[in-house]
Amino acid sequence: SHGLRLKKKVFSPVSKKMVNFKFLRFSMSHNYNHQMNDNDIADQLRLVYRLMRFSRNQKWWWALWLWGLEVSKVNAYMMYRRYHENRGLTPEYSHFEFQEAIGKAWIDPINHWPTRNRMHLSHIERARPTRKIEDFKRCFAITEKSLDLKTGKLQCRLDSTLTHFPEYVNVQKHPTQCQLHMWAFRIHSKKSNSKEQNKPKGSRARVFHCSACNVHLCGKCFNIFHKIDNLFLCIDDILCDP
């Protein structure tokens, strides 16, 4: 084995920029790194953001499953990069951002998995409006975070392409209340420093369920919720007597 004279870009603390650095490398090591069919590169990419570090005390098949998952994510990222390289495009995501996007899509598919979200909503739109309350999924909580028009879980409330159909809920058999009334009541109590614990008037009057948004609303709040951008401006209108 003989040495090869190579050079690579390194950061120089003196000139404060990237410069060419010349160095020697054994030809055996050089050939190994460049002729092993990308296996070493794949392992490096896989080990940067590995999932198996917490699986040592788990069942043996967890290691196999997580290894397959890591390899699939690396292969997906390499296909993503090659696709852009072959077309002379700049990839939108770095390796970290690609992994982060996958994680967010798994954790919060409604906001970070648009394709799956459309499939889910189209399934909801085909559902019949005569379902029982037991068939409803747990409703989304109405909070400042969920009402955010960019990242909130309820950003779909203003989407006119969805079918926001009111499904009547029998509150006598299945006690429930208007979530927007309760949210407005909490905000109003905070601003006025009120310690009143009673439920707001009208919160149980003719409650409906919106399948597209998965929330319970009274008849008056149903229109407000799906038409008004800034609900904080409508708190008094929500709490006033119908």
Side-chain angles (χ1 to χ4, degrees), residues 51-240:
L51 303 173
M52 295 173 59
R53 65 179 64 186
F54 304 113
S55 66
R56 293 182 178 179
N57 298 326
Q58 304 295 333
K59 292 186 178 294
W60 61 269
W61 49 264
W62 259 103
L64 293 178
W65 189 86
L66 290 174
W67 175 85
L69 179 61
E70 291 174 351
V71 171
S72 299
K73 291 167 66 180
V74 169
N75 290 341
Y77 174 68
M78 294 305 299
M79 291 174 62
Y80 169 78
R81 278 184 50 182
R82 296 285 169 80
Y83 174 86
H84 286 77
E85 289 174 0
N86 292 338
R87 285 161 177 76
L89 303 175
T90 302
E92 182 180 354
Y93 298 112
S94 64
H95 187 204
F96 168 76
E97 293 170 338
F98 190 84
Q99 300 281 339
E100 183 183 39
I102 293 176
K104 287 182 177 179
W106 285 342
I107 295 173
D108 189 3
I110 292 180
N111 294 315
H112 299 283
W113 198 335
T115 304
R116 182 176 180 179
N117 191 26
R118 284 197 296 270
M119 295 171 59
H120 174 68
L121 291 175
S122 64
H123 172 72
I124 291 178
E125 290 176 14
R126 292 195 299 269
R128 295 182 179 180
T130 56
R131 294 179 296 169
K132 298 179 180 179
I133 192 69
E134 292 87 350
D135 298 331
F136 296 146
K137 294 182 179 179
R138 185 174 180 177
C139 292
F140 290 138
I142 296 181
T143 62
E144 293 183 31
K145 185 176 180 180
S146 64
L147 290 174
D148 190 286
L149 297 180
K150 292 184 178 179
T151 61
K153 291 184 177 181
L154 296 174
Q155 60 178 316
C156 61
R157 65 187 180 88
L158 300 176
D159 190 348
S160 59
T161 63
L162 302 179
T163 304
H164 299 284
F165 189 85
E167 303 176 21
Y168 178 66
V169 178
N170 191 334
V171 295
Q172 300 298 327
K173 294 183 179 180
H174 309 287
T176 187
Q177 53 199 348
C178 174
Q179 292 178 249
L180 196 61
H181 259 82
M182 298 305 297
W183 169 80
F185 184 70
R186 288 195 301 269
I187 300 297
H188 179 75
S189 299
K190 279 185 180 181
K191 289 183 177 180
S192 59
N193 294 323
S194 173
K195 296 183 179 179
E196 185 180 356
Q197 299 295 327
N198 296 329
K199 292 181 175 59
K201 293 181 180 180
S203 62
R204 292 183 179 273
R206 294 191 64 83
V207 178
F208 299 90
H209 180 263
C210 177
S211 296
C213 302
N214 194 22
V215 292
H216 285 151
L217 302 165
C218 67
K220 180 180 70 173
C221 290
F222 201 92
N223 289 329
I224 296 176
F225 184 76
H226 292 107
K227 292 181 179 180
I228 306 299
D229 293 357
N230 191 348
L231 293 176
F232 288 91
L233 302 177
C234 302
I235 291 179
D236 294 335
D237 295 333
I238 294 171
L239 295 178
C240 69

